[in-house]
PDB file of all heavy atoms in Angstrom:
ATOM      1  N   LEU A 118     -12.876 -19.698 -24.823  1.00  0.00           N
ATOM      2  CA  LEU A 118     -13.699 -19.879 -26.032  1.00  0.00           C
ATOM      3  C   LEU A 118     -14.438 -18.582 -26.358  1.00  0.00           C
ATOM      4  O   LEU A 118     -14.670 -17.738 -25.495  1.00  0.00           O
ATOM      5  CB  LEU A 118     -14.701 -21.019 -25.827  1.00  0.00           C
ATOM      6  CG  LEU A 118     -14.124 -22.433 -25.640  1.00  0.00           C
ATOM      7  CD1 LEU A 118     -15.228 -23.473 -25.719  1.00  0.00           C
ATOM      8  CD2 LEU A 118     -13.049 -22.732 -26.700  1.00  0.00           C
ATOM      9  N   SER A 119     -14.811 -18.428 -27.627  1.00  0.00           N
ATOM     10  CA  SER A 119     -15.486 -17.207 -28.080  1.00  0.00           C
ATOM     11  C   SER A 119     -16.908 -17.147 -27.516  1.00  0.00           C
ATOM     12  O   SER A 119     -17.475 -18.158 -27.108  1.00  0.00           O
ATOM     13  CB  SER A 119     -15.549 -17.178 -29.597  1.00  0.00           C
ATOM     14  OG  SER A 119     -16.468 -18.174 -30.041  1.00  0.00           O
ATOM     15  N   ASN A 120     -17.467 -15.923 -27.517  1.00  0.00           N
ATOM     16  CA  ASN A 120     -18.845 -15.750 -27.038  1.00  0.00           C
ATOM     17  C   ASN A 120     -19.824 -16.605 -27.840  1.00  0.00           C
ATOM     18  O   ASN A 120     -20.760 -17.190 -27.282  1.00  0.00           O
ATOM     19  CB  ASN A 120     -19.259 -14.284 -27.148  1.00  0.00           C
ATOM     20  CG  ASN A 120     -18.495 -13.419 -26.147  1.00  0.00           C
ATOM     21  OD1 ASN A 120     -17.906 -13.928 -25.203  1.00  0.00           O
ATOM     22  ND2 ASN A 120     -18.513 -12.117 -26.370  1.00  0.00           N
ATOM     23  N   GLU A 121     -19.609 -16.685 -29.162  1.00  0.00           N
ATOM     24  CA  GLU A 121     -20.494 -17.457 -30.033  1.00  0.00           C
ATOM     25  C   GLU A 121     -20.472 -18.927 -29.610  1.00  0.00           C
ATOM     26  O   GLU A 121     -21.507 -19.576 -29.459  1.00  0.00           O
ATOM     27  CB  GLU A 121     -20.057 -17.341 -31.503  1.00  0.00           C
ATOM     28  CG  GLU A 121     -20.237 -15.959 -32.111  1.00  0.00           C
ATOM     29  CD  GLU A 121     -19.280 -14.924 -31.528  1.00  0.00           C
ATOM     30  OE1 GLU A 121     -18.119 -15.283 -31.231  1.00  0.00           O
ATOM     31  OE2 GLU A 121     -19.696 -13.756 -31.324  1.00  0.00           O
ATOM     32  N   LYS A 122     -19.247 -19.420 -29.411  1.00  0.00           N
ATOM     33  CA  LYS A 122     -19.070 -20.816 -29.030  1.00  0.00           C
ATOM     34  C   LYS A 122     -19.779 -21.101 -27.693  1.00  0.00           C
ATOM     35  O   LYS A 122     -20.451 -22.119 -27.537  1.00  0.00           O
ATOM     36  CB  LYS A 122     -17.552 -21.079 -28.907  1.00  0.00           C
ATOM     37  CG  LYS A 122     -17.169 -22.520 -28.995  1.00  0.00           C
ATOM     38  CD  LYS A 122     -17.049 -23.030 -30.416  1.00  0.00           C
ATOM     39  CE  LYS A 122     -17.085 -24.564 -30.387  1.00  0.00           C
ATOM     40  NZ  LYS A 122     -17.594 -25.148 -31.634  1.00  0.00           N
ATOM     41  N   LEU A 123     -19.611 -20.186 -26.732  1.00  0.00           N
ATOM     42  CA  LEU A 123     -20.213 -20.397 -25.405  1.00  0.00           C
ATOM     43  C   LEU A 123     -21.740 -20.374 -25.499  1.00  0.00           C
ATOM     44  O   LEU A 123     -22.429 -21.191 -24.880  1.00  0.00           O
ATOM     45  CB  LEU A 123     -19.723 -19.324 -24.420  1.00  0.00           C
ATOM     46  CG  LEU A 123     -18.215 -19.361 -24.091  1.00  0.00           C
ATOM     47  CD1 LEU A 123     -17.809 -18.127 -23.289  1.00  0.00           C
ATOM     48  CD2 LEU A 123     -17.843 -20.632 -23.332  1.00  0.00           C
ATOM     49  N   THR A 124     -22.255 -19.451 -26.304  1.00  0.00           N
ATOM     50  CA  THR A 124     -23.704 -19.375 -26.503  1.00  0.00           C
ATOM     51  C   THR A 124     -24.214 -20.708 -27.071  1.00  0.00           C
ATOM     52  O   THR A 124     -25.240 -21.239 -26.628  1.00  0.00           O
ATOM     53  CB  THR A 124     -24.055 -18.225 -27.481  1.00  0.00           C
ATOM     54  OG1 THR A 124     -23.475 -17.018 -26.980  1.00  0.00           O
ATOM     55  CG2 THR A 124     -25.563 -18.053 -27.618  1.00  0.00           C
ATOM     56  N   GLU A 125     -23.442 -21.216 -28.026  1.00  0.00           N
ATOM     57  CA  GLU A 125     -23.806 -22.481 -28.674  1.00  0.00           C
ATOM     58  C   GLU A 125     -23.826 -23.621 -27.654  1.00  0.00           C
ATOM     59  O   GLU A 125     -24.762 -24.421 -27.636  1.00  0.00           O
ATOM     60  CB  GLU A 125     -22.752 -22.761 -29.752  1.00  0.00           C
ATOM     61  CG  GLU A 125     -23.175 -23.704 -30.831  1.00  0.00           C
ATOM     62  CD  GLU A 125     -21.970 -24.001 -31.754  1.00  0.00           C
ATOM     63  OE1 GLU A 125     -21.379 -23.029 -32.276  1.00  0.00           O
ATOM     64  OE2 GLU A 125     -21.630 -25.195 -31.915  1.00  0.00           O
ATOM     65  N   ILE A 126     -22.806 -23.679 -26.795  1.00  0.00           N
ATOM     66  CA  ILE A 126     -22.759 -24.757 -25.788  1.00  0.00           C
ATOM     67  C   ILE A 126     -23.949 -24.661 -24.836  1.00  0.00           C
ATOM     68  O   ILE A 126     -24.603 -25.657 -24.526  1.00  0.00           O
ATOM     69  CB  ILE A 126     -21.422 -24.693 -24.991  1.00  0.00           C
ATOM     70  CG1 ILE A 126     -20.243 -24.982 -25.941  1.00  0.00           C
ATOM     71  CG2 ILE A 126     -21.429 -25.703 -23.833  1.00  0.00           C
ATOM     72  CD1 ILE A 126     -18.879 -24.806 -25.309  1.00  0.00           C
ATOM     73  N   ILE A 127     -24.251 -23.435 -24.387  1.00  0.00           N
ATOM     74  CA  ILE A 127     -25.379 -23.253 -23.467  1.00  0.00           C
ATOM     75  C   ILE A 127     -26.665 -23.766 -24.102  1.00  0.00           C
ATOM     76  O   ILE A 127     -27.468 -24.447 -23.468  1.00  0.00           O
ATOM     77  CB  ILE A 127     -25.522 -21.766 -23.072  1.00  0.00           C
ATOM     78  CG1 ILE A 127     -24.394 -21.388 -22.119  1.00  0.00           C
ATOM     79  CG2 ILE A 127     -26.879 -21.475 -22.430  1.00  0.00           C
ATOM     80  CD1 ILE A 127     -24.335 -19.926 -21.752  1.00  0.00           C
ATOM     81  N   SER A 128     -26.812 -23.445 -25.372  1.00  0.00           N
ATOM     82  CA  SER A 128     -28.024 -23.856 -26.080  1.00  0.00           C
ATOM     83  C   SER A 128     -28.042 -25.377 -26.299  1.00  0.00           C
ATOM     84  O   SER A 128     -29.036 -26.047 -25.992  1.00  0.00           O
ATOM     85  CB  SER A 128     -28.084 -23.080 -27.400  1.00  0.00           C
ATOM     86  OG  SER A 128     -28.811 -23.790 -28.356  1.00  0.00           O
ATOM     87  N   LYS A 129     -26.915 -25.919 -26.795  1.00  0.00           N
ATOM     88  CA  LYS A 129     -26.849 -27.351 -27.089  1.00  0.00           C
ATOM     89  C   LYS A 129     -27.047 -28.207 -25.858  1.00  0.00           C
ATOM     90  O   LYS A 129     -27.748 -29.218 -25.878  1.00  0.00           O
ATOM     91  CB  LYS A 129     -25.487 -27.697 -27.705  1.00  0.00           C
ATOM     92  CG  LYS A 129     -25.520 -27.793 -29.227  1.00  0.00           C
ATOM     93  CD  LYS A 129     -24.276 -28.514 -29.732  1.00  0.00           C
ATOM     94  CE  LYS A 129     -24.172 -28.412 -31.251  1.00  0.00           C
ATOM     95  NZ  LYS A 129     -22.799 -28.532 -31.704  1.00  0.00           N
ATOM     96  N   LYS A 130     -26.351 -27.798 -24.752  1.00  0.00           N
ATOM     97  CA  LYS A 130     -26.407 -28.618 -23.532  1.00  0.00           C
ATOM     98  C   LYS A 130     -27.640 -28.275 -22.686  1.00  0.00           C
ATOM     99  O   LYS A 130     -27.771 -28.727 -21.550  1.00  0.00           O
ATOM    100  CB  LYS A 130     -25.132 -28.410 -22.698  1.00  0.00           C
ATOM    101  CG  LYS A 130     -23.844 -28.673 -23.461  1.00  0.00           C
ATOM    102  CD  LYS A 130     -23.116 -29.904 -22.973  1.00  0.00           C
ATOM    103  CE  LYS A 130     -21.994 -30.258 -23.942  1.00  0.00           C
ATOM    104  NZ  LYS A 130     -21.138 -31.317 -23.506  1.00  0.00           N
ATOM    105  N   LYS A 131     -28.461 -27.405 -23.231  1.00  0.00           N
ATOM    106  CA  LYS A 131     -29.702 -27.005 -22.535  1.00  0.00           C
ATOM    107  C   LYS A 131     -29.434 -26.517 -21.098  1.00  0.00           C
ATOM    108  O   LYS A 131     -30.121 -26.907 -20.149  1.00  0.00           O
ATOM    109  CB  LYS A 131     -30.701 -28.157 -22.508  1.00  0.00           C
ATOM    110  CG  LYS A 131     -31.194 -28.574 -23.895  1.00  0.00           C
ATOM    111  CD  LYS A 131     -32.507 -29.348 -23.818  1.00  0.00           C
ATOM    112  CE  LYS A 131     -33.147 -29.565 -25.159  1.00  0.00           C
ATOM    113  NZ  LYS A 131     -32.262 -30.236 -26.181  1.00  0.00           N
ATOM    114  N   ILE A 132     -28.416 -25.680 -20.955  1.00  0.00           N
ATOM    115  CA  ILE A 132     -28.108 -25.141 -19.626  1.00  0.00           C
ATOM    116  C   ILE A 132     -29.088 -24.015 -19.309  1.00  0.00           C
ATOM    117  O   ILE A 132     -29.352 -23.150 -20.133  1.00  0.00           O
ATOM    118  CB  ILE A 132     -26.646 -24.635 -19.570  1.00  0.00           C
ATOM    119  CG1 ILE A 132     -25.694 -25.821 -19.791  1.00  0.00           C
ATOM    120  CG2 ILE A 132     -26.348 -23.944 -18.240  1.00  0.00           C
ATOM    121  CD1 ILE A 132     -24.252 -25.444 -19.973  1.00  0.00           C
ATOM    122  N   ARG A 133     -29.651 -24.098 -18.087  1.00  0.00           N
ATOM    123  CA  ARG A 133     -30.652 -23.098 -17.670  1.00  0.00           C
ATOM    124  C   ARG A 133     -30.140 -22.347 -16.442  1.00  0.00           C
ATOM    125  O   ARG A 133     -29.177 -22.769 -15.806  1.00  0.00           O
ATOM    126  CB  ARG A 133     -31.975 -23.783 -17.313  1.00  0.00           C
ATOM    127  CG  ARG A 133     -32.646 -24.525 -18.445  1.00  0.00           C
ATOM    128  CD  ARG A 133     -33.436 -23.591 -19.362  1.00  0.00           C
ATOM    129  NE  ARG A 133     -34.074 -24.362 -20.432  1.00  0.00           N
ATOM    130  CZ  ARG A 133     -33.488 -24.665 -21.604  1.00  0.00           C
ATOM    131  NH1 ARG A 133     -32.260 -24.262 -21.855  1.00  0.00           N
ATOM    132  NH2 ARG A 133     -34.138 -25.366 -22.525  1.00  0.00           N
ATOM    133  N   CYS A 134     -30.834 -21.293 -16.089  1.00  0.00           N
ATOM    134  CA  CYS A 134     -30.490 -20.517 -14.884  1.00  0.00           C
ATOM    135  C   CYS A 134     -30.549 -21.423 -13.654  1.00  0.00           C
ATOM    136  O   CYS A 134     -31.584 -22.011 -13.364  1.00  0.00           O
ATOM    137  CB  CYS A 134     -31.474 -19.363 -14.724  1.00  0.00           C
ATOM    138  SG  CYS A 134     -31.294 -18.482 -13.171  1.00  0.00           S
ATOM    139  N   PRO A 135     -29.424 -21.528 -12.906  1.00  0.00           N
ATOM    140  CA  PRO A 135     -29.407 -22.430 -11.751  1.00  0.00           C
ATOM    141  C   PRO A 135     -30.359 -21.970 -10.642  1.00  0.00           C
ATOM    142  O   PRO A 135     -30.727 -22.749  -9.786  1.00  0.00           O
ATOM    143  CB  PRO A 135     -27.958 -22.355 -11.256  1.00  0.00           C
ATOM    144  CG  PRO A 135     -27.175 -21.695 -12.328  1.00  0.00           C
ATOM    145  CD  PRO A 135     -28.147 -20.873 -13.133  1.00  0.00           C
ATOM    146  N   LYS A 136     -30.735 -20.696 -10.694  1.00  0.00           N
ATOM    147  CA  LYS A 136     -31.568 -20.157  -9.612  1.00  0.00           C
ATOM    148  C   LYS A 136     -33.045 -20.417  -9.886  1.00  0.00           C
ATOM    149  O   LYS A 136     -33.773 -20.892  -9.023  1.00  0.00           O
ATOM    150  CB  LYS A 136     -31.330 -18.651  -9.507  1.00  0.00           C
ATOM    151  CG  LYS A 136     -31.239 -18.163  -8.073  1.00  0.00           C
ATOM    152  CD  LYS A 136     -30.780 -16.728  -8.022  1.00  0.00           C
ATOM    153  CE  LYS A 136     -31.700 -15.881  -7.188  1.00  0.00           C
ATOM    154  NZ  LYS A 136     -31.284 -14.462  -7.223  1.00  0.00           N
ATOM    155  N   CYS A 137     -33.484 -20.114 -11.129  1.00  0.00           N
ATOM    156  CA  CYS A 137     -34.917 -20.184 -11.378  1.00  0.00           C
ATOM    157  C   CYS A 137     -35.263 -21.100 -12.546  1.00  0.00           C
ATOM    158  O   CYS A 137     -36.438 -21.266 -12.871  1.00  0.00           O
ATOM    159  CB  CYS A 137     -35.486 -18.780 -11.622  1.00  0.00           C
ATOM    160  SG  CYS A 137     -35.192 -18.166 -13.279  1.00  0.00           S
ATOM    161  N   GLY A 138     -34.246 -21.655 -13.209  1.00  0.00           N
ATOM    162  CA  GLY A 138     -34.546 -22.546 -14.335  1.00  0.00           C
ATOM    163  C   GLY A 138     -34.874 -21.837 -15.630  1.00  0.00           C
ATOM    164  O   GLY A 138     -35.227 -22.474 -16.627  1.00  0.00           O
ATOM    165  N   GLY A 139     -34.756 -20.495 -15.619  1.00  0.00           N
ATOM    166  CA  GLY A 139     -35.109 -19.726 -16.817  1.00  0.00           C
ATOM    167  C   GLY A 139     -34.098 -19.876 -17.946  1.00  0.00           C
ATOM    168  O   GLY A 139     -33.006 -20.420 -17.758  1.00  0.00           O
ATOM    169  N   HIS A 140     -34.470 -19.379 -19.123  1.00  0.00           N
ATOM    170  CA  HIS A 140     -33.573 -19.406 -20.269  1.00  0.00           C
ATOM    171  C   HIS A 140     -32.504 -18.336 -20.132  1.00  0.00           C
ATOM    172  O   HIS A 140     -32.743 -17.273 -19.560  1.00  0.00           O
ATOM    173  CB  HIS A 140     -34.366 -19.184 -21.562  1.00  0.00           C
ATOM    174  CG  HIS A 140     -35.134 -20.402 -21.974  1.00  0.00           C
ATOM    175  ND1 HIS A 140     -34.676 -21.286 -22.923  1.00  0.00           N
ATOM    176  CD2 HIS A 140     -36.324 -20.885 -21.539  1.00  0.00           C
ATOM    177  CE1 HIS A 140     -35.560 -22.266 -23.065  1.00  0.00           C
ATOM    178  NE2 HIS A 140     -36.578 -22.042 -22.231  1.00  0.00           N
ATOM    179  N   LEU A 141     -31.335 -18.643 -20.706  1.00  0.00           N
ATOM    180  CA  LEU A 141     -30.214 -17.711 -20.599  1.00  0.00           C
ATOM    181  C   LEU A 141     -30.023 -16.953 -21.909  1.00  0.00           C
ATOM    182  O   LEU A 141     -30.295 -17.471 -22.992  1.00  0.00           O
ATOM    183  CB  LEU A 141     -28.933 -18.475 -20.253  1.00  0.00           C
ATOM    184  CG  LEU A 141     -28.947 -19.158 -18.879  1.00  0.00           C
ATOM    185  CD1 LEU A 141     -27.798 -20.140 -18.753  1.00  0.00           C
ATOM    186  CD2 LEU A 141     -28.879 -18.122 -17.762  1.00  0.00           C
ATOM    187  N   SER A 142     -29.523 -15.714 -21.757  1.00  0.00           N
ATOM    188  CA  SER A 142     -29.323 -14.856 -22.927  1.00  0.00           C
ATOM    189  C   SER A 142     -28.094 -15.282 -23.728  1.00  0.00           C
ATOM    190  O   SER A 142     -27.317 -16.124 -23.293  1.00  0.00           O
ATOM    191  CB  SER A 142     -29.139 -13.415 -22.475  1.00  0.00           C
ATOM    192  OG  SER A 142     -27.856 -13.293 -21.892  1.00  0.00           O
ATOM    193  N   HIS A 143     -27.905 -14.638 -24.884  1.00  0.00           N
ATOM    194  CA  HIS A 143     -26.647 -14.749 -25.610  1.00  0.00           C
ATOM    195  C   HIS A 143     -25.505 -14.327 -24.700  1.00  0.00           C
ATOM    196  O   HIS A 143     -25.674 -13.490 -23.820  1.00  0.00           O
ATOM    197  CB  HIS A 143     -26.657 -13.818 -26.827  1.00  0.00           C
ATOM    198  CG  HIS A 143     -27.208 -14.477 -28.048  1.00  0.00           C
ATOM    199  ND1 HIS A 143     -28.546 -14.740 -28.196  1.00  0.00           N
ATOM    200  CD2 HIS A 143     -26.587 -14.945 -29.169  1.00  0.00           C
ATOM    201  CE1 HIS A 143     -28.738 -15.328 -29.361  1.00  0.00           C
ATOM    202  NE2 HIS A 143     -27.566 -15.471 -29.974  1.00  0.00           N
ATOM    203  N   VAL A 144     -24.331 -14.872 -24.953  1.00  0.00           N
ATOM    204  CA  VAL A 144     -23.162 -14.502 -24.158  1.00  0.00           C
ATOM    205  C   VAL A 144     -22.554 -13.228 -24.735  1.00  0.00           C
ATOM    206  O   VAL A 144     -22.400 -13.105 -25.943  1.00  0.00           O
ATOM    207  CB  VAL A 144     -22.119 -15.640 -24.177  1.00  0.00           C
ATOM    208  CG1 VAL A 144     -20.845 -15.213 -23.467  1.00  0.00           C
ATOM    209  CG2 VAL A 144     -22.714 -16.891 -23.528  1.00  0.00           C
TER     210      VAL A 144
END
Side-chain angles (χ1 to χ4, degrees):
Chain A
L118 295 191
S119 70
N120 291 344
E121 292 69 36
K122 200 83 197 153
L123 295 171
T124 305
E125 201 186 305
I126 295 174
I127 287 175
S128 154
K129 262 196 190 154
K130 305 249 169 173
K131 296 200 170 55
I132 297 171
R133 298 279 181 272
C134 172
K136 221 171 128 184
C137 79
H140 284 262
L141 296 167
S142 73
H143 271 73
V144 175

